[in-house]
Amino acid sequence: MPTTATRNILVTSALPYANGAIHLGHLLEYIQTDIWVRFQKSRGQQCYYVCADDAHGTAIMLRAEQENITAEALIERVSQDHQTDFARFGVGFDNYHSTHSAENRYFSEMIYKRLRDKGHIATRDIEQMFDPQKACS
């Protein structure tokens, strides 16, 4: 019987937004992905399932203001809720963090710099809405 080389597989799902609860649509994706990752691991593959709470954006800032708490407090509470929900449904991540984590910053910067240094990053100016009062508070 021919032997096959072990594959290194990195898997993620869409990042849940850190301003609300996990819903059925989220769970469907995470459960299906978890099953596929477990299958790969059962076949002897090196398969890692990583994910994080998406902790950036106006919706988080606005919800935190409505609740009269900091964005960081909201992000932390929602992350704990998300991880509890995932555990209740048996979804097992090899690594779960926040887009605010030091780990995420390190790897994002490393990947960006490597791509930039090899000429794979293009830059251009864009216009978008911006509230300088909120940005400075």
Side-chain angles (χ1 to χ4, degrees), residues 29-47:
E29 176 186 0
Y30 298 116
I31 291 169
Q32 288 175 330
T33 306
D34 183 75
I35 291 168
W36 189 83
V37 167
R38 289 172 192 249
F39 170 71
Q40 293 301 329
K41 289 178 178 183
S42 76
R43 296 183 68 224
Q45 306 302 335
Q46 292 293 317
C47 191

Side-chain angles (χ1 to χ4, degrees), residues 15-23 26 30 52-56 59-67 69-88 93 96-99:
L15 305 185
Y17 206 48
N19 74 328
I22 296 297
H23 57 69
H26 290 126
Y30 298 116
D53 283 311
D54 182 351
H56 298 284
I60 292 169
M61 179 189 70
L62 294 175
R63 172 128 184 235
E65 280 183 4
Q66 287 174 340
E67 294 186 21
I69 60 175
T70 65
E72 290 75 17
L74 175 65
I75 291 164
E76 177 62 27
R77 186 187 76 219
V78 170
S79 179
Q80 291 303 317
D81 291 346
H82 286 177
Q83 291 180 62
T84 298
D85 289 342
F86 292 137
R88 285 182 181 154
F93 298 102
Y96 193 93
H97 276 289
S98 162
T99 55

Side-chain angles (χ1 to χ4, degrees), residues 104-116:
N104 182 71
R105 181 183 184 117
Y106 169 80
F107 285 111
S108 296
E109 287 179 356
M110 179 187 69
I111 291 165
Y112 172 81
K113 287 175 183 175
R114 286 181 181 176
L115 290 170
R116 181 199 62 202

Side-chain angles (χ1 to χ4, degrees), residues 58 126-132 135:
T58 303
I126 61 169
E127 276 189 47
Q128 65 183 38
M129 303 291 284
F130 178 75
D131 184 339

